[in-house]
PDB file of all heavy atoms in Angstrom:
ATOM      1  N   ASP A  17       0.811  -1.209  -0.025  1.00 70.00           N
ATOM      2  CA  ASP A  17       0.062  -0.012   0.019  1.00 70.00           C
ATOM      3  C   ASP A  17       0.902   1.283   0.036  1.00 70.00           C
ATOM      4  O   ASP A  17       0.314   2.385   0.431  1.00 70.00           O
ATOM      5  CB  ASP A  17      -0.898   0.082   1.209  1.00 70.00           C
ATOM      6  CG  ASP A  17      -1.920  -1.146   1.211  1.00 70.00           C
ATOM      7  OD1 ASP A  17      -2.507  -1.464   0.179  1.00 70.00           O
ATOM      8  OD2 ASP A  17      -2.142  -1.743   2.299  1.00 70.00           O
ATOM      9  N   ILE A  18       2.166   1.141  -0.413  1.00 69.00           N
ATOM     10  CA  ILE A  18       2.966   2.321  -0.284  1.00 69.00           C
ATOM     11  C   ILE A  18       2.544   3.449  -1.118  1.00 69.00           C
ATOM     12  O   ILE A  18       2.674   4.605  -0.572  1.00 69.00           O
ATOM     13  CB  ILE A  18       4.443   1.848  -0.700  1.00 69.00           C
ATOM     14  CG1 ILE A  18       5.399   3.059  -0.461  1.00 69.00           C
ATOM     15  CG2 ILE A  18       4.459   1.363  -2.134  1.00 69.00           C
ATOM     16  CD1 ILE A  18       5.704   3.346   0.965  1.00 69.00           C
ATOM     17  N   LEU A  19       2.058   3.218  -2.309  1.00 71.00           N
ATOM     18  CA  LEU A  19       1.606   4.450  -3.180  1.00 71.00           C
ATOM     19  C   LEU A  19       0.444   4.978  -2.502  1.00 71.00           C
ATOM     20  O   LEU A  19       0.306   6.254  -2.389  1.00 71.00           O
ATOM     21  CB  LEU A  19       1.281   3.841  -4.643  1.00 71.00           C
ATOM     22  CG  LEU A  19       2.482   3.397  -5.330  1.00 71.00           C
ATOM     23  CD1 LEU A  19       1.975   2.929  -6.770  1.00 71.00           C
ATOM     24  CD2 LEU A  19       3.586   4.485  -5.549  1.00 71.00           C
ATOM     25  N   SER A  20      -0.540   4.278  -2.013  1.00 77.00           N
ATOM     26  CA  SER A  20      -1.783   4.882  -1.389  1.00 77.00           C
ATOM     27  C   SER A  20      -1.312   5.624  -0.116  1.00 77.00           C
ATOM     28  O   SER A  20      -1.784   6.806   0.065  1.00 77.00           O
ATOM     29  CB  SER A  20      -2.725   3.829  -0.991  1.00 77.00           C
ATOM     30  OG  SER A  20      -3.780   4.272  -0.235  1.00 77.00           O
ATOM     31  N   ASP A  21      -0.402   4.998   0.567  1.00 69.00           N
ATOM     32  CA  ASP A  21       0.165   5.735   1.894  1.00 69.00           C
ATOM     33  C   ASP A  21       0.853   7.058   1.560  1.00 69.00           C
ATOM     34  O   ASP A  21       0.672   8.100   2.338  1.00 69.00           O
ATOM     35  CB  ASP A  21       0.943   4.698   2.733  1.00 69.00           C
ATOM     36  CG  ASP A  21       0.212   3.531   3.243  1.00 69.00           C
ATOM     37  OD1 ASP A  21      -1.026   3.590   3.324  1.00 69.00           O
ATOM     38  OD2 ASP A  21       0.838   2.503   3.578  1.00 69.00           O
ATOM     39  N   LEU A  22       1.606   6.977   0.558  1.00 63.00           N
ATOM     40  CA  LEU A  22       2.358   8.252   0.140  1.00 63.00           C
ATOM     41  C   LEU A  22       1.377   9.233  -0.340  1.00 63.00           C
ATOM     42  O   LEU A  22       1.536  10.421  -0.015  1.00 63.00           O
ATOM     43  CB  LEU A  22       3.313   7.881  -1.078  1.00 63.00           C
ATOM     44  CG  LEU A  22       4.614   7.258  -0.649  1.00 63.00           C
ATOM     45  CD1 LEU A  22       5.400   6.818  -1.913  1.00 63.00           C
ATOM     46  CD2 LEU A  22       5.365   8.117   0.205  1.00 63.00           C
ATOM     47  N   GLY A  23       0.284   8.849  -0.993  1.00 67.00           N
ATOM     48  CA  GLY A  23      -0.798   9.853  -1.412  1.00 67.00           C
ATOM     49  C   GLY A  23      -1.542  10.471  -0.085  1.00 67.00           C
ATOM     50  O   GLY A  23      -1.665  11.715  -0.121  1.00 67.00           O
ATOM     51  N   THR A  24      -1.677   9.632   0.824  1.00 74.00           N
ATOM     52  CA  THR A  24      -2.333  10.121   2.063  1.00 74.00           C
ATOM     53  C   THR A  24      -1.421  11.086   2.752  1.00 74.00           C
ATOM     54  O   THR A  24      -1.764  12.092   3.314  1.00 74.00           O
ATOM     55  CB  THR A  24      -2.656   9.040   3.091  1.00 74.00           C
ATOM     56  OG1 THR A  24      -3.544   8.141   2.391  1.00 74.00           O
ATOM     57  CG2 THR A  24      -3.319   9.545   4.245  1.00 74.00           C
ATOM     58  N   TYR A  25      -0.084  10.737   2.723  1.00 69.00           N
ATOM     59  CA  TYR A  25       0.955  11.647   3.397  1.00 69.00           C
ATOM     60  C   TYR A  25       0.979  12.915   2.719  1.00 69.00           C
ATOM     61  O   TYR A  25       1.074  13.969   3.336  1.00 69.00           O
ATOM     62  CB  TYR A  25       2.287  10.921   3.358  1.00 69.00           C
ATOM     63  CG  TYR A  25       3.456  11.761   3.992  1.00 69.00           C
ATOM     64  CD1 TYR A  25       3.635  11.753   5.364  1.00 69.00           C
ATOM     65  CD2 TYR A  25       4.246  12.493   3.179  1.00 69.00           C
ATOM     66  CE1 TYR A  25       4.573  12.475   5.958  1.00 69.00           C
ATOM     67  CE2 TYR A  25       5.241  13.234   3.646  1.00 69.00           C
ATOM     68  CZ  TYR A  25       5.418  13.271   5.091  1.00 69.00           C
ATOM     69  OH  TYR A  25       6.360  13.943   5.655  1.00 69.00           O
ATOM     70  N   PHE A  26       0.988  12.992   1.320  1.00 59.00           N
ATOM     71  CA  PHE A  26       1.102  14.134   0.627  1.00 59.00           C
ATOM     72  C   PHE A  26      -0.213  14.977   0.811  1.00 59.00           C
ATOM     73  O   PHE A  26      -0.032  16.260   0.981  1.00 59.00           O
ATOM     74  CB  PHE A  26       1.188  13.850  -0.903  1.00 59.00           C
ATOM     75  CG  PHE A  26       1.081  14.994  -1.688  1.00 59.00           C
ATOM     76  CD1 PHE A  26       2.226  15.877  -1.859  1.00 59.00           C
ATOM     77  CD2 PHE A  26      -0.070  15.320  -2.523  1.00 59.00           C
ATOM     78  CE1 PHE A  26       2.069  17.041  -2.644  1.00 59.00           C
ATOM     79  CE2 PHE A  26      -0.142  16.410  -3.316  1.00 59.00           C
ATOM     80  CZ  PHE A  26       0.953  17.339  -3.393  1.00 59.00           C
ATOM     81  N   GLU A  27      -1.334  14.474   0.883  1.00 67.00           N
ATOM     82  CA  GLU A  27      -2.567  15.240   1.188  1.00 67.00           C
ATOM     83  C   GLU A  27      -2.454  16.054   2.506  1.00 67.00           C
ATOM     84  O   GLU A  27      -3.098  17.012   2.666  1.00 67.00           O
ATOM     85  CB  GLU A  27      -3.696  14.335   1.220  1.00 67.00           C
ATOM     86  CG  GLU A  27      -4.151  13.598  -0.151  1.00 67.00           C
ATOM     87  CD  GLU A  27      -5.265  12.623  -0.052  1.00 67.00           C
ATOM     88  OE1 GLU A  27      -5.759  12.442   1.100  1.00 67.00           O
ATOM     89  OE2 GLU A  27      -5.660  12.054  -1.054  1.00 67.00           O
ATOM     90  N   ASP A  28      -1.833  15.426   3.453  1.00 65.00           N
ATOM     91  CA  ASP A  28      -1.693  16.086   4.827  1.00 65.00           C
ATOM     92  C   ASP A  28      -0.496  17.121   4.910  1.00 65.00           C
ATOM     93  O   ASP A  28      -0.610  18.093   5.719  1.00 65.00           O
ATOM     94  CB  ASP A  28      -1.506  15.046   5.875  1.00 65.00           C
ATOM     95  CG  ASP A  28      -2.869  14.427   6.343  1.00 65.00           C
ATOM     96  OD1 ASP A  28      -3.902  14.874   5.805  1.00 65.00           O
ATOM     97  OD2 ASP A  28      -2.866  13.621   7.198  1.00 65.00           O
ATOM     98  N   HIS A  29       0.597  16.882   4.089  1.00 66.00           N
ATOM     99  CA  HIS A  29       1.728  17.663   4.216  1.00 66.00           C
ATOM    100  C   HIS A  29       2.110  18.478   3.198  1.00 66.00           C
ATOM    101  O   HIS A  29       3.306  19.156   3.156  1.00 66.00           O
ATOM    102  CB  HIS A  29       2.934  16.597   4.590  1.00 66.00           C
ATOM    103  CG  HIS A  29       2.754  15.891   5.887  1.00 66.00           C
ATOM    104  ND1 HIS A  29       3.130  16.407   7.103  1.00 66.00           N
ATOM    105  CD2 HIS A  29       2.213  14.698   6.099  1.00 66.00           C
ATOM    106  CE1 HIS A  29       2.871  15.572   8.033  1.00 66.00           C
ATOM    107  NE2 HIS A  29       2.434  14.547   7.556  1.00 66.00           N
ATOM    108  N   PHE A  30       1.376  18.551   2.095  1.00 63.00           N
ATOM    109  CA  PHE A  30       1.854  19.366   0.913  1.00 63.00           C
ATOM    110  C   PHE A  30       2.069  20.821   1.247  1.00 63.00           C
ATOM    111  O   PHE A  30       1.475  21.363   2.133  1.00 63.00           O
ATOM    112  CB  PHE A  30       0.950  19.210  -0.257  1.00 63.00           C
ATOM    113  CG  PHE A  30      -0.416  19.770  -0.107  1.00 63.00           C
ATOM    114  CD1 PHE A  30      -0.701  21.178  -0.204  1.00 63.00           C
ATOM    115  CD2 PHE A  30      -1.543  19.006   0.172  1.00 63.00           C
ATOM    116  CE1 PHE A  30      -2.061  21.710  -0.118  1.00 63.00           C
ATOM    117  CE2 PHE A  30      -2.827  19.402   0.335  1.00 63.00           C
ATOM    118  CZ  PHE A  30      -3.070  20.756   0.237  1.00 63.00           C
ATOM    119  N   ALA A  31       2.934  21.455   0.524  1.00 59.00           N
ATOM    120  CA  ALA A  31       3.432  22.800   0.896  1.00 59.00           C
ATOM    121  C   ALA A  31       2.252  23.858   0.938  1.00 59.00           C
ATOM    122  O   ALA A  31       1.343  23.767   0.090  1.00 59.00           O
ATOM    123  CB  ALA A  31       4.451  23.384  -0.082  1.00 59.00           C
ATOM    124  N   TYR A  32       2.264  24.737   1.863  1.00 67.00           N
ATOM    125  CA  TYR A  32       1.200  25.768   1.918  1.00 67.00           C
ATOM    126  C   TYR A  32      -0.231  25.223   1.968  1.00 67.00           C
ATOM    127  O   TYR A  32      -1.204  25.878   1.709  1.00 67.00           O
ATOM    128  CB  TYR A  32       1.178  26.838   0.706  1.00 67.00           C
ATOM    129  CG  TYR A  32       2.731  27.291   0.577  1.00 67.00           C
ATOM    130  CD1 TYR A  32       3.524  26.859  -0.582  1.00 67.00           C
ATOM    131  CD2 TYR A  32       3.259  28.180   1.438  1.00 67.00           C
ATOM    132  CE1 TYR A  32       4.752  27.315  -0.713  1.00 67.00           C
ATOM    133  CE2 TYR A  32       4.487  28.649   1.281  1.00 67.00           C
ATOM    134  CZ  TYR A  32       5.207  28.248   0.193  1.00 67.00           C
ATOM    135  OH  TYR A  32       6.445  28.681  -0.035  1.00 67.00           O
ATOM    136  N   ARG A  33      -0.224  24.088   2.570  1.00 69.00           N
ATOM    137  CA  ARG A  33      -1.726  23.446   2.658  1.00 69.00           C
ATOM    138  C   ARG A  33      -2.632  24.297   3.537  1.00 69.00           C
ATOM    139  O   ARG A  33      -3.730  24.636   3.191  1.00 69.00           O
ATOM    140  CB  ARG A  33      -1.489  22.154   3.478  1.00 69.00           C
ATOM    141  CG  ARG A  33      -2.924  21.343   3.547  1.00 69.00           C
ATOM    142  CD  ARG A  33      -2.729  20.020   4.307  1.00 69.00           C
ATOM    143  NE  ARG A  33      -3.900  19.227   4.242  1.00 69.00           N
ATOM    144  CZ  ARG A  33      -4.827  19.345   5.247  1.00 69.00           C
ATOM    145  NH1 ARG A  33      -4.729  20.359   6.137  1.00 69.00           N
ATOM    146  NH2 ARG A  33      -6.087  18.625   5.205  1.00 69.00           N
ATOM    147  N   ASN A  34      -2.220  24.828   4.628  1.00 67.00           N
ATOM    148  CA  ASN A  34      -3.056  25.586   5.550  1.00 67.00           C
ATOM    149  C   ASN A  34      -3.497  26.956   4.816  1.00 67.00           C
ATOM    150  O   ASN A  34      -4.752  27.289   4.879  1.00 67.00           O
ATOM    151  CB  ASN A  34      -2.354  25.894   6.875  1.00 67.00           C
ATOM    152  CG  ASN A  34      -2.176  24.731   7.763  1.00 67.00           C
ATOM    153  OD1 ASN A  34      -2.951  23.700   7.651  1.00 67.00           O
ATOM    154  ND2 ASN A  34      -1.186  24.810   8.568  1.00 67.00           N
ATOM    155  N   GLU A  35      -2.519  27.534   4.120  1.00 71.00           N
ATOM    156  CA  GLU A  35      -3.004  28.706   3.362  1.00 71.00           C
ATOM    157  C   GLU A  35      -3.887  28.489   2.258  1.00 71.00           C
ATOM    158  O   GLU A  35      -4.874  29.215   2.098  1.00 71.00           O
ATOM    159  CB  GLU A  35      -1.662  29.443   2.864  1.00 71.00           C
ATOM    160  CG  GLU A  35      -0.631  30.053   3.950  1.00 71.00           C
ATOM    161  CD  GLU A  35       0.115  29.008   4.740  1.00 71.00           C
ATOM    162  OE1 GLU A  35       0.081  27.821   4.240  1.00 71.00           O
ATOM    163  OE2 GLU A  35       0.709  29.267   5.739  1.00 71.00           O
ATOM    164  N   LEU A  36      -3.753  27.450   1.623  1.00 72.00           N
ATOM    165  CA  LEU A  36      -4.629  27.111   0.414  1.00 72.00           C
ATOM    166  C   LEU A  36      -6.033  26.672   1.002  1.00 72.00           C
ATOM    167  O   LEU A  36      -7.041  27.004   0.407  1.00 72.00           O
ATOM    168  CB  LEU A  36      -4.063  26.004  -0.367  1.00 72.00           C
ATOM    169  CG  LEU A  36      -2.859  26.366  -1.198  1.00 72.00           C
ATOM    170  CD1 LEU A  36      -2.136  25.201  -1.922  1.00 72.00           C
ATOM    171  CD2 LEU A  36      -3.158  27.346  -2.229  1.00 72.00           C
ATOM    172  N   VAL A  37      -6.001  25.969   2.080  1.00 72.00           N
ATOM    173  CA  VAL A  37      -7.345  25.597   2.657  1.00 72.00           C
ATOM    174  C   VAL A  37      -8.111  26.780   3.223  1.00 72.00           C
ATOM    175  O   VAL A  37      -9.289  26.978   3.029  1.00 72.00           O
ATOM    176  CB  VAL A  37      -7.122  24.579   3.765  1.00 72.00           C
ATOM    177  CG1 VAL A  37      -8.404  24.367   4.656  1.00 72.00           C
ATOM    178  CG2 VAL A  37      -6.524  23.307   3.204  1.00 72.00           C
ATOM    179  N   ALA A  38      -7.352  27.763   3.791  1.00 69.00           N
ATOM    180  CA  ALA A  38      -7.955  28.926   4.270  1.00 69.00           C
ATOM    181  C   ALA A  38      -8.474  29.843   3.156  1.00 69.00           C
ATOM    182  O   ALA A  38      -9.599  30.421   3.269  1.00 69.00           O
ATOM    183  CB  ALA A  38      -6.966  29.713   5.233  1.00 69.00           C
ATOM    184  N   LEU A  39      -7.705  29.924   2.072  1.00 75.00           N
ATOM    185  CA  LEU A  39      -8.058  30.831   0.965  1.00 75.00           C
ATOM    186  C   LEU A  39      -9.300  30.157   0.411  1.00 75.00           C
ATOM    187  O   LEU A  39     -10.357  30.889   0.097  1.00 75.00           O
ATOM    188  CB  LEU A  39      -7.085  30.691  -0.122  1.00 75.00           C
ATOM    189  CG  LEU A  39      -7.280  31.418  -1.376  1.00 75.00           C
ATOM    190  CD1 LEU A  39      -7.582  32.911  -1.076  1.00 75.00           C
ATOM    191  CD2 LEU A  39      -6.228  31.318  -2.380  1.00 75.00           C
ATOM    192  N   ASN A  40      -9.461  28.821   0.254  1.00 77.00           N
ATOM    193  CA  ASN A  40     -10.727  28.190  -0.205  1.00 77.00           C
ATOM    194  C   ASN A  40     -11.888  28.448   0.707  1.00 77.00           C
ATOM    195  O   ASN A  40     -12.997  28.779   0.264  1.00 77.00           O
ATOM    196  CB  ASN A  40     -10.519  26.686  -0.365  1.00 77.00           C
ATOM    197  CG  ASN A  40     -11.670  25.992  -0.727  1.00 77.00           C
ATOM    198  OD1 ASN A  40     -12.296  26.252  -1.842  1.00 77.00           O
ATOM    199  ND2 ASN A  40     -12.097  24.976   0.085  1.00 77.00           N
ATOM    200  N   ALA A  41     -11.660  28.502   1.917  1.00 74.00           N
ATOM    201  CA  ALA A  41     -12.706  28.770   2.980  1.00 74.00           C
ATOM    202  C   ALA A  41     -13.070  30.114   2.940  1.00 74.00           C
ATOM    203  O   ALA A  41     -14.491  30.418   2.871  1.00 74.00           O
ATOM    204  CB  ALA A  41     -12.231  28.416   4.436  1.00 74.00           C
ATOM    205  N   TYR A  42     -12.307  31.095   2.749  1.00 74.00           N
ATOM    206  CA  TYR A  42     -12.584  32.655   2.720  1.00 74.00           C
ATOM    207  C   TYR A  42     -13.503  32.770   1.302  1.00 74.00           C
ATOM    208  O   TYR A  42     -14.419  33.576   1.243  1.00 74.00           O
ATOM    209  CB  TYR A  42     -11.484  33.412   2.644  1.00 74.00           C
ATOM    210  CG  TYR A  42     -10.956  33.765   4.066  1.00 74.00           C
ATOM    211  CD1 TYR A  42      -9.770  33.253   4.528  1.00 74.00           C
ATOM    212  CD2 TYR A  42     -11.666  34.572   4.817  1.00 74.00           C
ATOM    213  CE1 TYR A  42      -9.313  33.552   5.782  1.00 74.00           C
ATOM    214  CE2 TYR A  42     -11.372  34.870   6.171  1.00 74.00           C
ATOM    215  CZ  TYR A  42     -10.104  34.388   6.540  1.00 74.00           C
ATOM    216  OH  TYR A  42      -9.678  34.693   7.881  1.00 74.00           O
ATOM    217  N   LEU A  43     -13.112  32.064   0.283  1.00 84.00           N
ATOM    218  CA  LEU A  43     -13.836  32.239  -0.933  1.00 84.00           C
ATOM    219  C   LEU A  43     -15.278  31.723  -0.889  1.00 84.00           C
ATOM    220  O   LEU A  43     -16.276  32.212  -1.294  1.00 84.00           O
ATOM    221  CB  LEU A  43     -13.092  31.621  -2.146  1.00 84.00           C
ATOM    222  CG  LEU A  43     -11.859  32.348  -2.503  1.00 84.00           C
ATOM    223  CD1 LEU A  43     -11.036  31.554  -3.635  1.00 84.00           C
ATOM    224  CD2 LEU A  43     -12.056  33.643  -3.088  1.00 84.00           C
ATOM    225  N   ARG A  44     -15.340  30.497  -0.306  1.00 84.00           N
ATOM    226  CA  ARG A  44     -16.637  29.746  -0.163  1.00 84.00           C
ATOM    227  C   ARG A  44     -17.490  30.528   0.759  1.00 84.00           C
ATOM    228  O   ARG A  44     -18.719  30.670   0.540  1.00 84.00           O
ATOM    229  CB  ARG A  44     -16.412  28.418   0.366  1.00 84.00           C
ATOM    230  CG  ARG A  44     -15.797  27.421  -0.661  1.00 84.00           C
ATOM    231  CD  ARG A  44     -16.777  26.874  -1.623  1.00 84.00           C
ATOM    232  NE  ARG A  44     -17.732  25.943  -1.049  1.00 84.00           N
ATOM    233  CZ  ARG A  44     -17.541  24.716  -0.681  1.00 84.00           C
ATOM    234  NH1 ARG A  44     -16.327  24.095  -1.093  1.00 84.00           N
ATOM    235  NH2 ARG A  44     -18.491  23.997  -0.137  1.00 84.00           N
ATOM    236  N   THR A  45     -17.011  30.983   1.915  1.00 83.00           N
ATOM    237  CA  THR A  45     -17.891  31.621   2.891  1.00 83.00           C
ATOM    238  C   THR A  45     -18.311  33.087   2.390  1.00 83.00           C
ATOM    239  O   THR A  45     -19.421  33.498   2.707  1.00 83.00           O
ATOM    240  CB  THR A  45     -17.225  31.762   4.228  1.00 83.00           C
ATOM    241  OG1 THR A  45     -15.929  32.417   4.128  1.00 83.00           O
ATOM    242  CG2 THR A  45     -16.913  30.300   4.857  1.00 83.00           C
ATOM    243  N   GLY A  46     -17.339  33.733   1.738  1.00 78.00           N
ATOM    244  CA  GLY A  46     -17.625  35.021   1.279  1.00 78.00           C
ATOM    245  C   GLY A  46     -18.482  35.088   0.003  1.00 78.00           C
ATOM    246  O   GLY A  46     -19.416  36.013  -0.116  1.00 78.00           O
ATOM    247  N   LEU A  47     -18.397  34.204  -0.829  1.00 80.00           N
ATOM    248  CA  LEU A  47     -19.220  34.213  -2.055  1.00 80.00           C
ATOM    249  C   LEU A  47     -20.510  33.333  -1.997  1.00 80.00           C
ATOM    250  O   LEU A  47     -21.545  33.683  -2.570  1.00 80.00           O
ATOM    251  CB  LEU A  47     -18.343  33.659  -3.244  1.00 80.00           C
ATOM    252  CG  LEU A  47     -17.127  34.492  -3.650  1.00 80.00           C
ATOM    253  CD1 LEU A  47     -16.373  33.821  -4.717  1.00 80.00           C
ATOM    254  CD2 LEU A  47     -17.464  35.915  -3.983  1.00 80.00           C
ATOM    255  N   ALA A  48     -20.459  32.284  -1.330  1.00 79.00           N
ATOM    256  CA  ALA A  48     -21.530  31.340  -1.196  1.00 79.00           C
ATOM    257  C   ALA A  48     -22.191  31.173   0.150  1.00 79.00           C
ATOM    258  O   ALA A  48     -23.241  30.526   0.353  1.00 79.00           O
ATOM    259  CB  ALA A  48     -21.219  29.944  -1.896  1.00 79.00           C
ATOM    260  N   ALA A  49     -21.560  31.768   1.145  1.00 84.00           N
ATOM    261  CA  ALA A  49     -21.999  31.566   2.466  1.00 84.00           C
ATOM    262  C   ALA A  49     -22.103  30.245   2.973  1.00 84.00           C
ATOM    263  O   ALA A  49     -23.139  29.874   3.657  1.00 84.00           O
ATOM    264  CB  ALA A  49     -23.308  32.368   2.787  1.00 84.00           C
ATOM    265  N   THR A  50     -21.319  29.327   2.559  1.00 88.00           N
ATOM    266  CA  THR A  50     -21.188  27.913   2.993  1.00 88.00           C
ATOM    267  C   THR A  50     -19.744  27.602   3.443  1.00 88.00           C
ATOM    268  O   THR A  50     -18.840  28.224   2.982  1.00 88.00           O
ATOM    269  CB  THR A  50     -21.655  27.077   1.803  1.00 88.00           C
ATOM    270  OG1 THR A  50     -20.627  27.083   0.668  1.00 88.00           O
ATOM    271  CG2 THR A  50     -22.994  27.291   1.291  1.00 88.00           C
ATOM    272  N   SER A  51     -19.775  26.475   4.317  1.00 89.00           N
ATOM    273  CA  SER A  51     -18.440  26.127   4.823  1.00 89.00           C
ATOM    274  C   SER A  51     -17.928  24.951   4.062  1.00 89.00           C
ATOM    275  O   SER A  51     -18.628  23.886   3.999  1.00 89.00           O
ATOM    276  CB  SER A  51     -18.652  25.791   6.324  1.00 89.00           C
ATOM    277  OG  SER A  51     -17.436  25.108   6.825  1.00 89.00           O
ATOM    278  N   PRO A  52     -16.636  24.967   3.716  1.00 89.00           N
ATOM    279  CA  PRO A  52     -16.023  23.751   3.061  1.00 89.00           C
ATOM    280  C   PRO A  52     -15.514  22.755   3.917  1.00 89.00           C
ATOM    281  O   PRO A  52     -15.327  21.608   3.674  1.00 89.00           O
ATOM    282  CB  PRO A  52     -14.850  24.390   2.148  1.00 89.00           C
ATOM    283  CG  PRO A  52     -14.499  25.548   3.033  1.00 89.00           C
ATOM    284  CD  PRO A  52     -15.797  26.201   3.519  1.00 89.00           C
ATOM    285  N   ALA A  53     -15.555  23.145   5.267  1.00 88.00           N
ATOM    286  CA  ALA A  53     -14.977  22.236   6.345  1.00 88.00           C
ATOM    287  C   ALA A  53     -16.174  21.356   6.880  1.00 88.00           C
ATOM    288  O   ALA A  53     -17.213  22.014   7.275  1.00 88.00           O
ATOM    289  CB  ALA A  53     -14.406  23.119   7.552  1.00 88.00           C
ATOM    290  N   PRO A  54     -16.218  20.085   6.728  1.00 90.00           N
ATOM    291  CA  PRO A  54     -17.366  19.222   7.058  1.00 90.00           C
ATOM    292  C   PRO A  54     -17.811  19.479   8.562  1.00 90.00           C
ATOM    293  O   PRO A  54     -18.888  19.021   8.854  1.00 90.00           O
ATOM    294  CB  PRO A  54     -16.826  17.854   6.773  1.00 90.00           C
ATOM    295  CG  PRO A  54     -15.362  17.909   6.756  1.00 90.00           C
ATOM    296  CD  PRO A  54     -15.003  19.301   6.310  1.00 90.00           C
ATOM    297  N   SER A  55     -16.860  19.804   9.440  1.00 92.00           N
ATOM    298  CA  SER A  55     -17.200  19.876  10.967  1.00 92.00           C
ATOM    299  C   SER A  55     -17.672  21.241  11.281  1.00 92.00           C
ATOM    300  O   SER A  55     -17.995  21.564  12.509  1.00 92.00           O
ATOM    301  CB  SER A  55     -15.958  19.511  11.642  1.00 92.00           C
ATOM    302  OG  SER A  55     -14.782  20.343  11.397  1.00 92.00           O
TER     303      SER A  55
END
């Protein structure tokens, strides 16, 4: 499962992840008034 595990690792650790997630959230909440975060 090394390839699958590497994909999961990349999803959590890719560069500027927090900034990109926050940018997506600001766009979604600002334009559509909805949250992209499931929680």
Side-chain angles (χ1 to χ4, degrees):
D17 297 321
I18 185 66
L19 293 180
S20 174
D21 292 343
L22 283 172
T24 302
Y25 179 83
F26 173 74
E27 289 174 3
D28 279 357
H29 294 273
F30 64 81
Y32 307 109
R33 181 183 187 275
N34 290 337
E35 288 77 9
L36 292 172
V37 170
L39 178 61
N40 176 55
Y42 277 110
L43 292 174
R44 289 277 295 276
T45 56
L47 299 177
T50 60
S51 167
S55 57

